Amino acid sequence: MMLSSLRKPLPLLNRIQTLFISTQPISQSLNKPQKPHQNPPKFDSTTVTQTLSSYNNDHKRALEFFNWVEKDCYFTHTTETYNRIIDILGKFFEFDASWDLIHRMNANPLSVPNHTTFRIMFRRYVSAHMVNEAIGTCGKLGEFGLSDEVSYCNLIDALCEYKHVVEAQELCFGKDKVVEFDGFRVSDTKIHNMILRGWFKMGWWSKCREFWEEMDRKGVSKDLHSYSIYMDIMCKSGKPWKAVKLYKDMKSKHMKLDVVVYNTALRAIGLADGVGFAIRVYRGMRESGCEPDVVTYNTIIKLLCENGRVREAHTMLDEMAKKGCTPDEITYHCFFGILEKPEEILKMFDRMIEIGAKPRMATYVMLMRKFGRWGFLRPVFIVWDKMEELGQSPDYNAYNALIDALIKKGMIDTAKKYDEEMLAKGISSKRRRDLGSMLMLGSSDGG
């Protein structure tokens, strides 16, 4: 049977989940006293973190597990496990609960908050467009001994990552700086790279060029990362030949290029001059002593797939293994995007997991949407079942991919069941006029 070899990927995680669910139903109140295990299992921090991650899209279940493993199994939470649950809660805007946990952390010397703790808070606040709260959090870091350059950079990085670069630039270079750190020079190359990348994330190409030129006027030193970002900007703005020119300028200046610059250059050259020229640069890269990484191979494989040279892409995939470079989920996404037969895709999915490239949620969603568009429901459920077997809890996009596939096949009652399940987990449901209208007409599952 297809994917039959995938039955033992995470046995320990599955056993923990089964034990937890059997001892504490999800409907049970967290405040209700529980009878501890007489012989509680022993967990380490890594195992608890992995189990929390499996409930990444079900914050109620994650918090129940977090409390259960502490109260019933006598596990002492670490900074790592606290950070993981805080990240999950922040994803669902449970910021008050996150702060309660941060104060609990601070009271225990074994789990004090660190830079990662507040980097998570910055990112979750900013991703929810709660910029003032993120800046306010930065102002509280003196209480935790973390009011330093690292925290400042984490705040600016979060603002730029989630398209609040205007606010980031104002904090760094505005007349009325809200945040100040003694001894930290805001004109640092690293900060300018963050702002440049922020404009890139916004897709505001004229501001990218303006800021790039402003760096020159201000005398800001540009490093390889600066050039790599700007080459990426040129590619994404539809001007890969300009990225190629920048790459050639760097070569003419005898700059020692790293793998990140080469990876960006390979993509630009592939778009501007063709995949053949990109492969030549790839070979030259190796001859210069710069070893390719997984991104290098992914870039070449993607270019080959986009140009219909699938056999050569498979050859490159085999070369990765020979060179000791393990493919990741992005490698397989390149193939999933161009394969046109469900059995071929499932075979590749099988190979992906066998070699240890754990699928991301985006992988499951991509495959379910593809099978759903084609009208193949069985492969949709194969992927869905594998997602649950590997310990992943479905998110908004995964539920919607499944529900859309069910609706397309006329299975309205089943679609409604999954719609209600996602609502019960606190995941907002997508409005579907088709689903509503069919239900009002009294439709039921088709064969």
Side-chain angles (χ1 to χ4, degrees):
M1 179 182 174
M2 186 68 66
L3 302 178
S4 59
S5 61
L6 308 179
R7 294 295 178 190
K8 302 177 183 178
L10 291 172
L12 177 58
L13 177 56
N14 290 339
R15 289 201 302 272
I16 294 170
Q17 291 174 326
T18 301
L19 175 62
F20 165 54
I21 293 169
S22 67
T23 57
Q24 187 168 6
I26 193 166
S27 58
Q28 196 169 36
S29 169
L30 292 177
N31 296 321
K32 185 176 179 180
Q34 301 299 316
K35 184 178 179 180
H37 289 281
Q38 295 193 356
N39 296 302
K42 295 186 182 299
F43 300 124
D44 59 25
S45 180
T46 300
T47 303
V48 172
T49 302
Q50 289 176 345
T51 309
L52 285 169
S53 295
S54 74
Y55 297 125
N56 184 48
N57 297 302
D58 189 349
H59 71 287
K60 295 177 183 176
R61 178 78 81 179
L63 188 55
E64 287 184 351
F65 172 77
F66 183 86
N67 284 288
W68 171 79
V69 77
E70 179 181 47
K71 295 175 182 176
D72 285 23
C73 303
Y74 307 111
F75 175 76
T76 301
H77 282 294
T78 64
T79 301
E80 182 185 13
T81 58
Y82 269 109
N83 286 346
R84 192 69 197 95
I85 187 64
I86 288 169
D87 190 32
I88 294 170
L89 290 172
K91 182 178 180 179
F92 290 87
F93 315 118
E94 297 287 342
F95 295 113
D96 288 343
S98 296
W99 275 109
D100 288 343
L101 290 172
I102 288 172
H103 290 303
R104 276 172 58 182
M105 292 174 74
N106 208 36
N108 186 342
L110 297 177
S111 60
V112 292
N114 59 11
H115 286 108
T116 301
T117 310
F118 290 101
R119 181 170 60 86
I120 289 168
M121 291 298 288
F122 293 149
R123 293 173 70 86
R124 288 306 181 190
Y125 269 133
V126 179
S127 67
H129 306 296
M130 300 171 68
V131 174
N132 290 336
E133 286 78 2
I135 295 172
T137 297
C138 200
K140 297 177 183 177
L141 295 186
E143 303 172 25
F144 305 92
L146 296 171
S147 182
D148 55 22
E149 297 177 16
V150 174
S151 295
Y152 187 92
C153 288
N154 286 340
L155 172 62
I156 299 303
D157 186 56
L159 290 168
C160 294
E161 175 69 21
Y162 295 100
K163 301 184 178 181
H164 284 278
V165 64
V166 174
E167 292 91 332
Q169 192 162 349
E170 180 62 26
L171 281 176
C172 293
F173 311 118
K175 294 179 180 178
D176 301 315
K177 298 185 183 72
V178 178
V179 182
E180 292 281 1
F181 285 99
D182 292 337
F184 180 58
R185 290 184 9 168
V186 80
S187 60
D188 184 79
T189 300
K190 183 177 181 180
I191 288 293
H192 281 79
N193 286 345
M194 288 180 184
I195 302 293
L196 180 63
R197 181 174 168 273
W199 288 120
F200 165 54
K201 296 284 288 186
M202 291 283 288
W204 201 337
W205 312 126
S206 61
K207 289 294 292 186
C208 291
R209 184 178 65 254
E210 179 185 314
F211 192 76
W212 179 257
E213 293 169 354
E214 183 181 326
M215 289 175 70
D216 287 330
R217 288 195 302 271
K218 292 165 67 175
V220 176
S221 175
K222 292 176 179 175
D223 58 13
L224 287 177
H225 189 44
S226 310
Y227 282 100
S228 180
I229 294 169
Y230 201 63
M231 287 168 64
D232 218 1
I233 289 167
M234 293 296 98
C235 285
K236 294 298 194 304
S237 63
K239 299 174 183 177
W241 60 91
K242 289 193 174 183
V244 175
K245 183 179 182 300
L246 193 60
Y247 161 74
K248 291 178 178 178
D249 288 345
M250 294 170 71
K251 294 283 285 184
S252 67
K253 294 176 182 177
H254 304 290
M255 296 177 68
K256 186 173 177 57
L257 308 187
D258 63 8
V259 68
V260 177
V261 174
Y262 269 116
N263 290 342
T264 309
L266 286 170
R267 181 65 182 164
I269 292 166
L271 292 173
D273 302 323
V275 63
F277 284 94
I279 292 174
R280 289 184 201 174
V281 172
Y282 159 74
R283 290 171 181 158
M285 165 188 173
R286 300 201 63 166
E287 290 171 2
S288 71
C290 184
E291 284 300 313
D293 61 9
V294 67
V295 178
T296 313
Y297 287 109
N298 288 349
T299 302
I300 299 294
I301 288 172
K302 184 175 182 180
L303 287 167
L304 289 167
C305 287
E306 289 173 345
N307 285 272
R309 297 163 65 169
V310 182
R311 185 171 296 179
E312 292 173 74
H314 278 283
T315 301
M316 185 63 70
L317 181 62
D318 294 336
E319 184 178 322
M320 289 181 72
K322 292 176 184 177
K323 298 296 183 182
C325 185
T326 304
D328 62 10
E329 69 280 358
I330 302 299
T331 314
Y332 289 94
H333 284 194
C334 299
F335 292 99
F336 294 148
I338 52 98
L339 293 175
E340 297 180 347
K341 294 181 180 179
E343 59 269 23
E344 291 179 346
I345 294 174
L346 290 175
K347 185 177 180 180
M348 184 65 74
F349 188 48
D350 189 337
R351 177 178 176 178
M352 173 184 182
I353 304 175
E354 281 181 341
I355 63 128
K358 186 176 179 182
R360 295 185 304 177
M361 190 56 60
T363 311
Y364 300 114
V365 173
M366 170 196 283
L367 296 182
M368 288 193 291
R369 283 177 176 167
K370 191 161 193 171
F371 293 139
R373 283 196 306 271
W374 291 345
F376 293 111
L377 194 55
R378 182 174 175 275
V380 171
F381 275 108
I382 288 176
V383 174
W384 180 272
D385 291 343
K386 186 51 55 184
M387 174 181 63
E388 294 187 327
E389 185 180 326
L390 292 175
Q392 294 290 315
S393 58
D395 67 358
Y396 171 87
N397 292 316
Y399 271 112
N400 284 316
L402 176 60
I403 292 168
D404 288 340
L406 290 166
I407 292 172
K408 186 167 185 176
K409 298 295 285 186
M411 301 179 67
I412 307 306
D413 287 346
T414 306
K416 184 180 179 183
K417 183 190 74 140
Y418 283 104
D419 191 68
E420 291 170 347
E421 181 180 300
M422 68 187 292
L423 284 170
K425 289 184 177 181
I427 304 173
S428 59
S429 176
K430 183 173 83 173
R431 281 194 171 191
R432 288 180 177 81
R433 194 172 72 177
D434 289 341
L435 179 60
S437 62
M438 288 179 180
L439 288 170
M440 286 189 288
L441 291 171
S443 297
S444 59
D445 285 3

